[in-house]
Amino acid sequence: MTSTADVGKTTGAPQMEDLVIEGMTCASCVGRVERALAAVPGVSRANVNLATERASVQTDGNVAREALVQAIRKAGYEVTASVPVELEIEGMTCASCVGRVERALLAVPGVQSASVNLATERATVQGGASPAALVAAIAKAGYTARMLDRAVSNEDAQAQRHADELRVLRRDLLLATVLTLPVFLLEMGGHLVPAFHHFIASTLGMQNSWLLQFVLTTLVLVFPGRRFYEKGIPALLRAAPDMNSLVAVGTLAAFGFSLVATFVPRLLPAGTVNVYYEAAAVIVTLILLGRVLEAKAKGRTSEAIKRLLKLQAKTARVRRDGSVVELPLDQIASGDVIDVRPGERIAVDGEVIDGDSYVDESMISGEPVPVQKTPGSTVVGGTVNQTGTLGVRATAVGGATVLAQIIRLVEQAQSAKLPIQTLVDRITLWFVPAVMVLAVLTFLVWLLLGPDPALTFGLVNAVAVLIIACPCAMGLATPTSIMVGTGRGAELGVLFRKGEALQLLKEAQVVAVDKTGTLTEGRPLLTDLQLADGFTRGDVLAKVAAVEDRSEHPIARAIVNAAQQDGLQLPAVDAFESVTGYGVRAQVQGVRVEVGADRFMQSLGLDVAVFAAVAKQLGEEGKSPLYAAIDGQLAAIIAVSDPIKHDTRAAIASLHALGLKVAMITGDNRRTAEAIARQLGIDEVVAEVLPEGKVDAVRRLKAAHGRLAYVGDGINDAPALAAADVGMAIGTGTDVAIEAADVVLMSGSLQGVPNAIALSKATMGNIRQNLFWAFAYNTALIPVAAGVLYPLWGMLLSPVFAAGAMALSSVFVLGNALRLKRFQPPQAQA
């Protein structure tokens, strides 16, 4: 039901707000919400839809979204965000920036949660705040933001921005190096080689040397180093210092002291007149070097997304008005018919309406063997047509295709924050202010208690403290590992729908699996047909299938399908009869055919002992044998079962090798379930369970063993997937199961489970290494920079070496995360 309230004309530039409303139950609710919205000053039109639970509100452009939200809440209803708002953010350089942006977003009225990722440079915001308000809040915090438009690919634009950023950084690094090298040689050359010092003093003169260093260093700070001051000083003035602030204060302190020493040395105490131009210039140059290496490494962390994007076709040949035209993807609509030639990538998800070909679907299934496609077959965008020409009617285009959803899942997982990151964020938010306090304390302690020249010692050590602190390493430690880990998972056919699953999977103690469709193929097949003497397979199978063709039972369908696959013609059937509890009988080509259980054969006076050994073997395999009699003679023993997938045994062996217990939860009878468990080496069996009982089984297993991962594929698995610590859905399963899962195994193979768990362990181990390095680095080297080793061994850390160590710290973290790209699963994909 839709109703509209007109509440006057707009008084300015009109603006539309879309709100999702909870709690409306009838037409009266619609009217109540519309009246509440109409009463807000500046609202010109309100349209509320009960079916979609949405309100579209037109305002004069001066109405805050929060005013609309409050009006709806006062009317007794709740407003939620329809989808999270995703923003791209520029200007973040360290973990302190992340905390600052999150705080700015959380302060916006209507925001329920905000998650900012330094590695992806994106923010995800839940709540009722308008995107414009979010962008404005980020701008006020000192950063630049823009909406992420999911309707188009942002990856090319983002890649171009990163390429431009890297180009500018390389240019500035080259300029800084050229300008810094003479400064370094003039100052440090004299310290290292006394003869060079005398040469400079006797030719150029020390004052002229200092003036030359002043000019060159000024150029370094004003041009390549400008970025640190443009961002760092405003952040400092906002009482929200970041890494740029540390560099800005440290270099300006060294430069300022040198300026005084050069032009008004009488202001300094005797014995302290020295210049540190080389420190300021080298610090800027080394940090720019670190930024270049960091930018290059960051580009490599998102290669998985880039590879997925390369699978997308850019154009397609579409049948329009009796001709074929080539159109870009954004002009193709659902229902269009597309021509796909041999060797071309299929542009959209669709259904084959004409043609016959083989399609390489390895990007979805992991299976290297091409799949035959005939009219009626479904195809997936991004897969490659092999041999013939196909006509495909589009069923999903753009963001609705399977490939687009895979890319979205990978991006969401890469942007996720693990529980471990929460503590890191709390620490790093206060890290930079704490470092600045430590630098001031270092300066004061050296000034008051240090040896002469105390002022020089205080200045140099305070600058070293500012420069060596590296919040970047802390901020990048977790998100870069997640980016690379989830990207590698996508390459292996393991999609993490929720980043938290990465951390929880590592802690799993038991893996519970559904049987049908997970351990098995999910469809009954004729697996055994043993003949009595005097009978042939073709004749027996044709007659038995002809009788079973009258039945809709799954076992009957399996027998019929087997006959059809063998190319057998089914003869005509007369006098079909179903004998309740025994089997079926009919006349086929003038002879009587009976199919059923052993008791049926015994009632016909036939001895099944001839097949006793075969029947025993089938029973041990969990199969229920059937018998066929033709013209009063026992002709064959038949078994139909849901066959175990070819790679299930190896996958379970891999899980055991990882130290996990494996449990099977199934609705099948216990005898069949235990027979399958014996074949596969499964540790625990929960059989004869109804769908609603699977949740109780999951809870019991969790109580007995600890963290549990559940693997399933059907609608009846959705509650169990949601109840497990980590739900893992087979990608060939139902949409309901996939929506309820935390991890999707795209190949449809159980092999993805040990791969996912091993990847989780590797990623979390990588994160721990990164965090240990980041915290150990800062904990150990900040005191060294402050001069704690000087009383013992007379050792001080030069600000130049501090800058080099800081630059390499972030590069180490990124390099360590990139090792995950070489992760090899314990089970190779089939």
Side-chain angles (χ1 to χ4, degrees):
M1 173 181 177
T2 304
S3 172
T4 302
D6 288 303
V7 288
K9 297 179 180 178
T10 55
T11 58
Q15 182 175 317
M16 292 299 298
E17 293 282 1
D18 191 39
L19 303 162
V20 179
I21 303 170
E22 286 184 356
M24 297 191 299
T25 56
C26 63
S28 298
C29 301
V30 172
R32 206 164 290 124
V33 173
E34 285 184 343
R35 285 194 296 273
L37 290 169
V40 176
V43 171
S44 56
R45 186 179 180 86
N47 181 295
V48 179
N49 189 301
L50 179 61
T52 61
E53 297 182 318
R54 286 176 179 269
S56 295
V57 185
Q58 188 172 25
T59 72
D60 60 9
N62 297 313
V63 180
R65 184 183 178 91
E66 184 60 18
L68 303 176
V69 172
Q70 290 301 328
I72 293 169
R73 286 176 177 162
K74 283 180 182 178
Y77 306 93
E78 192 55 57
V79 178
T80 59
S82 53
V83 290
V85 175
E86 292 183 275
L87 302 165
E88 289 184 299
I89 302 172
E90 291 181 16
M92 296 191 300
T93 55
C94 64
S96 298
C97 302
V98 171
R100 208 150 288 123
V101 173
E102 283 186 351
R103 282 200 299 184
L105 290 169
L106 290 169
V108 177
V111 171
Q112 296 167 354
S113 66
S115 175
V116 178
N117 188 299
L118 178 61
T120 59
E121 298 177 324
R122 289 180 180 175
T124 304
V125 186
Q126 291 274 10
S130 68
L134 301 176
V135 170
I138 293 171
K140 191 175 178 182
Y143 306 91
T144 305
R146 68 176 66 82
M147 275 286 292
L148 185 65
D149 184 2
R150 285 291 181 190
V152 297
S153 170
N154 293 271
E155 299 302 326
D156 289 341
Q158 190 174 31
Q160 186 59 49
R161 280 199 305 276
H162 283 161
D164 291 343
E165 178 190 3
L166 185 58
R167 180 178 52 77
V168 170
L169 280 169
R170 280 174 168 160
R171 181 201 67 196
D172 287 354
L173 174 62
L174 179 62
L175 178 59
T177 303
V178 169
L179 293 171
T180 298
L181 197 57
V183 177
F184 183 80
L185 290 174
L186 283 170
E187 186 61 30
M188 297 306 294
H191 291 299
L192 298 173
V193 182
F196 185 74
H197 173 77
H198 293 308
F199 172 75
I200 295 296
S202 60
T203 55
L204 187 62
M206 292 312 299
Q207 184 64 23
N208 288 333
S209 171
W210 288 2
L211 287 171
L212 180 58
Q213 290 179 48
F214 159 71
V215 172
L216 293 173
T217 303
T218 301
L219 292 174
V220 171
L221 301 189
V222 169
F223 294 104
R226 179 188 299 176
R227 57 174 48 81
F228 301 117
Y229 310 106
E230 286 179 339
K231 293 178 180 177
I233 292 173
L236 193 61
L237 296 175
R238 289 194 302 270
D242 60 5
M243 187 200 123
N244 293 303
S245 303
L246 295 179
V247 176
V249 172
T251 53
L252 287 176
F255 183 75
F257 186 90
S258 303
L259 211 59
V260 173
T262 303
F263 295 104
V264 279
R266 64 181 178 278
L267 297 179
L268 298 175
T272 64
V273 180
N274 295 296
V275 294
Y276 298 97
Y277 290 120
E278 90 289 348
V282 171
I283 285 168
V284 167
T285 303
L286 286 176
I287 291 173
L288 283 172
L289 173 64
R291 290 276 177 95
V292 168
L293 295 173
E294 188 178 314
K296 288 176 70 175
K298 267 187 179 179
R300 290 176 61 200
T301 61
S302 58
E303 281 180 0
I305 292 285
K306 293 173 188 171
R307 275 195 288 272
L308 287 170
L309 285 166
K310 286 178 182 175
L311 297 176
Q312 291 180 321
K314 303 297 183 188
T315 61
R317 300 168 68 250
V318 184
R319 298 178 190 175
R320 292 271 173 93
D321 303 322
S323 62
V324 177
V325 293
E326 188 160 331
L327 296 175
L329 281 194
D330 58 5
Q331 293 183 27
I332 299 171
S334 184
D336 280 344
V337 177
I338 296 164
D339 277 356
V340 186
R341 292 178 293 195
E344 286 186 341
R345 219 171 262 289
I346 298 171
V348 297
D349 294 356
E351 180 183 346
V352 177
I353 60 170
D354 58 64
D356 190 330
S357 184
Y358 284 84
V359 173
D360 178 2
E361 295 187 336
S362 56
M363 73 133 197
I364 296 292
S365 65
E367 296 288 342
V369 180
V371 180
Q372 185 175 17
K373 299 294 180 181
T374 56
S377 301
T378 58
V379 292
V380 176
T383 55
V384 181
N385 185 27
Q386 298 281 292
T387 53
T389 300
L390 295 174
V392 176
R393 177 178 286 110
T395 56
V397 297
T401 62
V402 169
L403 181 57
Q405 290 173 45
I406 290 173
I407 292 170
R408 198 150 51 243
L409 285 176
V410 174
E411 286 181 337
Q412 287 169 359
Q414 289 185 340
S415 299
K417 278 200 174 180
L418 303 192
I420 195 173
Q421 182 69 13
T422 307
L423 176 62
V424 177
D425 286 349
R426 280 205 297 268
I427 294 171
T428 52
L429 187 62
W430 298 102
F431 180 78
V432 173
V435 168
M436 300 196 83
V437 170
L438 282 172
V440 172
L441 289 174
T442 298
F443 178 77
L444 292 175
V445 168
W446 277 96
L447 186 64
L448 298 174
L449 305 176
D452 288 330
L455 179 63
T456 300
F457 278 124
L459 174 74
V460 170
N461 291 327
V463 170
V465 169
L466 289 169
I467 298 304
I468 203 163
C470 189
C472 299
M474 293 180 180
L476 292 168
T478 301
T480 50
S481 295
I482 293 173
M483 280 187 73
V484 181
T486 52
R488 180 66 180 128
E491 292 171 2
L492 296 170
V494 177
L495 297 183
F496 290 87
R497 293 188 69 245
K498 298 175 184 172
E500 295 86 347
L502 260 178
Q503 184 167 340
L504 295 174
L505 257 185
K506 171 198 164 289
E507 301 166 7
Q509 301 295 314
V510 60
V511 176
V513 293
D514 171 54
K515 181 182 80 72
T516 305
T518 304
L519 298 175
T520 65
E521 296 289 353
R523 58 186 185 278
L525 296 174
L526 177 66
T527 56
D528 301 87
L529 176 59
Q530 295 282 337
L531 303 170
D533 293 339
F535 292 90
T536 62
R537 176 183 170 88
D539 183 62
V540 171
L541 184 54
K543 287 183 169 66
V544 171
V547 176
E548 294 288 4
D549 195 34
R550 296 294 186 92
S551 170
E552 287 300 319
H553 192 281
I555 289 177
R557 301 316 310 162
I559 295 171
V560 173
N561 290 340
Q564 291 172 342
Q565 286 172 5
D566 282 4
L568 300 174
Q569 284 290 110
L570 303 188
V573 173
D574 296 312
F576 176 82
E577 179 187 357
S578 176
V579 184
T580 305
Y582 285 87
V584 293
R585 61 157 59 102
Q587 289 287 329
V588 181
Q589 295 178 327
V591 298
R592 190 172 77 253
V593 178
E594 285 116 347
V595 185
D598 53 359
R599 57 182 175 274
F600 190 18
M601 299 298 109
Q602 289 162 4
S603 71
L604 298 172
L606 300 175
D607 185 6
V608 297
V610 66
F611 288 125
V614 177
K616 181 182 178 184
Q617 176 66 30
L618 293 175
E620 288 173 356
E621 294 174 3
K623 301 172 183 176
S624 300
L626 297 174
Y627 298 87
I630 297 177
D631 204 18
Q633 295 182 61
L634 187 63
I637 183 172
I638 301 168
V640 171
S641 69
D642 186 0
I644 294 168
K645 291 179 179 178
H646 70 278
D647 50 16
T648 296
R649 287 181 181 83
I652 288 173
S654 291
L655 289 172
H656 284 145
L658 289 169
L660 297 160
K661 288 191 174 296
V662 182
M664 178 171 67
I665 301 177
T666 179
D668 280 3
N669 67 73
R670 178 160 292 278
R671 176 172 155 272
T672 301
E674 288 183 343
I676 290 173
R678 280 195 301 273
Q679 291 180 60
L680 298 175
I682 288 173
D683 304 298
E684 194 166 336
V685 176
V686 183
E688 300 173 3
V689 177
L690 296 172
E692 56 270 24
K694 288 187 177 182
V695 173
D696 292 331
V698 164
R699 288 173 180 154
R700 286 198 304 274
L701 288 167
K702 282 169 67 173
H705 302 289
R707 290 229 186 259
L708 177 142
Y710 181 86
V711 189
D713 74 325
I715 291 174
N716 62 347
D717 291 313
L721 287 165
D725 294 302
V726 180
M728 307 179 76
I730 298 293
T732 52
T734 63
D735 291 342
V736 175
I738 289 171
E739 280 300 313
D742 305 303
V743 181
V744 181
L745 309 175
M746 288 303 297
S747 66
S749 166
L750 196 66
Q751 290 181 351
V753 178
N755 292 351
I757 292 172
L759 180 61
S760 168
K761 289 177 183 287
T763 304
M764 291 309 299
N766 193 272
I767 287 172
R768 279 198 305 274
Q769 292 161 7
N770 281 350
L771 288 174
F772 174 79
W773 166 261
F775 281 98
Y777 163 89
N778 284 293
T779 303
L781 292 189
I782 288 175
V784 172
V788 295
L789 299 182
Y790 186 81
L792 299 174
W793 297 294
M795 287 177 58
L796 289 175
L797 187 66
S798 163
V800 170
F801 289 111
M806 193 268 261
L808 291 175
S809 180
S810 296
V811 176
F812 176 89
V813 165
L814 284 159
N816 189 50
L818 286 169
R819 290 192 310 114
L820 287 170
K821 289 166 69 70
R822 299 194 297 271
F823 168 81
Q824 291 301 317
Q827 183 87 30
Q829 293 291 328

